[in-house]
Amino acid sequence: MKKIVIILLSTLFLTSCEEKKETKDYILLSGTISNPPSKEFRLGGKGGSTTIEIAEDGTFLDTIKTGTGKYIFFNPRTRADLYLTNGGEYNLTADGKDFRNTVKLTGTDPDASNYLMTKIDNIIKVRGDYAEFNSLNESDFIAKETAVKEQLLNYLDSFPNVPKEFLEAEREELNYYHLLTLIKYESLHQRYIKQPDFKVSPDFLKELEGIDYLNEDAYKLRSSYNKLVKEHFNRKADELIKNEGVDQHLAKLNVYGAIPNDYIKNDLLMSAASSGITYTNNLDEYYNTYISVSTSKSNDESITEKYENLKKLSKGQPSPVFTAYENYAGGTTSLSDFKGKYVYIDVWATWCGPCLAEVPALKKVEKQYHNKNIEFVSISIDVENKYDAWKKMVTDKELSGVQLLADKNWKSDFVAAYEINGIPRFILIDPSGNIVSANAPRPSDSKLIELFKELGI
């Protein structure tokens, strides 16, 4: 009898322990970052993001209550992609001087995280140079991409202890990544081999037949599916532009606005309008079109605020000003220093490829209008630690015109006032300090010279 009681008590005790283990509804994340680049990191996940304070000795500890899923441990300069499971305890270590190559995670089932942290490097390794990959002729590209897909799946399988749900989701993600690679090939191949008329063969995108582009759950959870959906509808917008001559910015609104799934529709509309409304030359039409198709009150409020701010930047309105920006030639310069002349402003940064692509054309225009009643001013929004890179690039590329450095990069009052969230951005101001165009043509666009001639510059 005593034995039976003991067995029953032991069973109850073990069951109680199991129940306590199962009801543990938080994740413990601790770690040490030597030479931390900042006093805090952020941890982003499905519940938003929270701040993680880094102590003087580089240690940190945080309790996460948003459950199993993908998280991003990041600061403005670097990141680590993690997969944490409810009830798990994890320890992250890294050297802040080489975070990406030294970050490691140990603890409860770390395989999924270690896979995610090395995934991009592995893709680059098996795919090779991106430009070379997309420059391959069609048959070689298909052969290479087929091999790449297989190698990526094999790499995933080399982590034997990833949770089943993660494995299934990542296999799905890799398939969407494959399809995204296929759908982007035509436009990328056109660019890299400089043949804008190149077209893939009729059966090239056969794998995409039957894809459901309205899967809201996949759109929220699979980044490659999200991009695939966007690429799909952007292609429809391109067809609208080509076949009906619709303005490129309005075309996206028209196509996105017709999507029957409200979540996907509003997300794409917001991503387009956030920048598109700052580039369109038909502000009122753009805004009214957006409002007519959007069904998100919060998005509408955000875009309406942008619209009201941009109305202040219409032709003839006084331009926002900048004051005492550092001048590469020495001293400081303000917008008021150019009063009495037209001012063509190029907002750029050393890391911006499209910005640098405009440099030859800008030099040509500057030379053509040398000694005319116009000043060419380039404002770099490089961050503080890129200061030397800015000065070096001005020297190495022999950049002409007036070269200035904004006082607070993206957060500079001048940049914010013009609602600049993408570069390069070109602005033209008249001799009285009023706006001619808050979104002037690029130097490579023949419309710029046409505009200068209209103004009699």
Side-chain angles (χ1 to χ4, degrees):
M1 184 68 180
K2 284 184 178 180
K3 289 183 178 179
I4 294 173
V5 171
I6 290 171
I7 292 170
L8 286 171
L9 288 173
S10 298
T11 302
L12 287 170
F13 176 76
L14 290 171
T15 301
S16 175
C17 289
E18 287 295 323
E19 287 177 352
K20 286 181 181 178
K21 185 176 181 181
E22 289 175 2
T23 56
K24 189 176 177 182
D25 61 348
Y26 59 87
I27 301 166
L28 286 178
L29 178 64
S30 61
T32 304
I33 301 176
S34 58
N35 306 303
S38 60
K39 295 293 183 182
E40 63 181 39
F41 272 70
R42 302 283 294 174
L43 185 71
K46 58 187 177 183
S49 65
T50 57
T51 299
I52 294 184
E53 301 290 340
I54 308 298
E56 289 297 325
D57 61 356
T59 60
F60 65 89
L61 174 66
D62 196 54
T63 302
I64 306 161
K65 295 187 176 181
T66 44
T68 298
K70 288 184 179 181
Y71 292 86
I72 303 173
F73 185 81
F74 68 99
N75 74 0
R77 300 179 187 176
T78 192
R79 63 182 279 172
D81 292 81
L82 310 173
Y83 185 85
L84 309 177
T85 56
N86 215 24
E89 297 184 11
Y90 303 89
N91 186 266
L92 184 148
T93 59
D95 184 341
K97 291 183 177 179
D98 189 16
F99 187 92
R100 181 173 175 177
N101 293 316
T102 60
V103 62
K104 291 181 181 177
L105 188 79
T106 56
T108 311
D109 52 25
D111 263 17
S113 293
N114 288 323
Y115 162 78
L116 289 175
M117 288 190 289
T118 56
K119 176 181 174 179
I120 299 300
D121 286 341
N122 181 61
I123 289 175
I124 295 171
K125 177 183 175 182
V126 300
R127 183 200 64 211
D129 182 79
Y130 193 62
E132 291 180 8
F133 175 61
N134 285 286
S135 295
L136 294 171
N137 65 51
E138 186 176 310
S139 58
D140 289 343
F141 176 84
I142 292 173
K144 175 74 172 178
E145 171 55 20
T146 301
V148 167
K149 179 184 177 182
E150 187 65 26
Q151 287 175 287
L152 296 184
L153 288 169
N154 289 339
Y155 186 69
L156 172 62
D157 291 338
S158 71
F159 292 81
N161 299 315
V162 298
K164 182 180 178 182
E165 64 275 13
F166 175 87
L167 180 64
E168 292 174 352
E170 186 59 22
R171 282 185 169 276
E172 190 176 323
E173 166 68 16
L174 289 174
N175 184 56
Y176 285 131
Y177 180 78
H178 166 66
L179 297 177
L180 179 65
T181 302
L182 295 180
I183 202 173
K184 292 174 69 176
Y185 170 71
E186 184 175 273
S187 61
L188 289 171
H189 192 69
Q190 289 172 351
R191 183 200 307 173
Y192 288 124
I193 69 169
K194 295 180 172 57
Q195 290 184 8
D197 296 328
F198 168 80
K199 297 294 179 184
V200 295
S201 59
D203 292 335
F204 183 80
L205 296 179
K206 196 168 184 177
E207 284 188 67
L208 281 90
E209 292 178 3
I211 294 292
D212 176 12
Y213 294 101
L214 302 175
N215 186 331
E216 185 175 324
D217 289 337
Y219 186 86
K220 291 177 179 178
L221 298 173
R222 312 277 177 264
S223 63
S224 289
Y225 176 80
N226 184 297
K227 294 173 185 175
L228 182 65
V229 168
K230 188 173 184 178
E231 192 72 24
H232 169 73
F233 287 111
N234 282 349
R235 285 164 67 91
K236 288 186 174 297
D238 289 340
E239 290 174 9
L240 197 60
I241 295 167
K242 180 181 178 180
N243 298 333
E244 300 183 30
V246 177
D247 173 84
Q248 62 174 322
H249 300 296
L250 291 173
K252 285 187 177 181
L253 297 188
N254 291 332
V255 170
Y256 294 167
I259 296 173
N261 180 287
D262 271 359
Y263 182 88
I264 295 175
K265 174 182 73 175
N266 288 317
D267 188 69
L268 288 176
L269 281 172
M270 186 62 178
S271 68
S274 294
S275 60
I277 197 169
T278 66
Y279 284 100
T280 181
N281 292 319
N282 303 295
L283 181 61
D284 288 336
E285 183 182 5
Y286 187 95
Y287 174 71
N288 291 331
T289 301
Y290 168 83
I291 291 297
S292 71
V293 294
S294 171
T295 53
S296 169
K297 184 178 179 180
S298 60
N299 288 357
D300 292 353
E301 290 173 352
S302 176
I303 297 302
T304 297
E305 183 180 355
K306 277 183 173 287
Y307 168 72
E308 296 296 342
N309 290 336
L310 289 167
K311 289 284 282 184
K312 300 172 186 175
L313 300 175
S314 57
K315 185 177 180 179
Q317 293 294 315
S319 171
V321 301
F322 58 83
T323 304
Y325 278 6
E326 180 174 347
N327 191 320
Y328 170 80
T332 61
T333 299
S334 304
L335 181 60
S336 58
D337 295 335
F338 305 111
K339 194 162 186 179
K341 289 187 175 184
Y342 283 96
V343 186
Y344 182 68
I345 297 174
D346 166 21
V347 182
W348 72 293
T350 58
W351 45 262
C352 170
C355 301
L356 301 181
E358 291 292 329
V359 168
L362 180 57
K363 283 184 175 182
K364 184 178 179 181
V365 174
E366 288 174 353
K367 185 176 181 181
Q368 183 178 347
Y369 281 83
H370 185 64
N371 289 329
K372 301 285 187 180
N373 191 38
I374 184 169
E375 287 283 356
F376 293 88
V377 179
S378 294
I379 299 176
S380 167
I381 56 170
D382 279 296
V383 294
E384 186 178 349
N385 68 346
K386 289 286 186 179
Y387 176 82
D388 290 338
W390 167 65
K391 300 207 76 171
K392 186 175 187 300
M393 185 165 286
V394 173
T395 301
D396 292 350
K397 290 191 173 292
E398 299 179 334
L399 300 183
S400 50
V402 180
Q403 297 293 327
L404 305 179
L405 184 68
D407 57 351
K408 293 176 289 186
N409 51 79
W410 286 103
K411 296 180 181 178
S412 297
D413 292 342
F414 182 78
V415 174
Y418 268 102
E419 293 281 342
I420 297 174
N421 51 24
I423 52 176
R425 176 72 172 273
F426 299 91
I427 300 163
L428 183 61
I429 301 169
D430 73 15
S432 298
N434 297 323
I435 298 170
V436 175
S437 176
N439 187 30
R442 296 185 176 197
S444 58
D445 188 340
S446 61
K447 290 180 180 178
L448 179 63
I449 300 302
E450 292 175 14
L451 177 58
F452 287 176
K453 287 179 179 178
E454 286 176 14
L455 295 169
I457 299 175

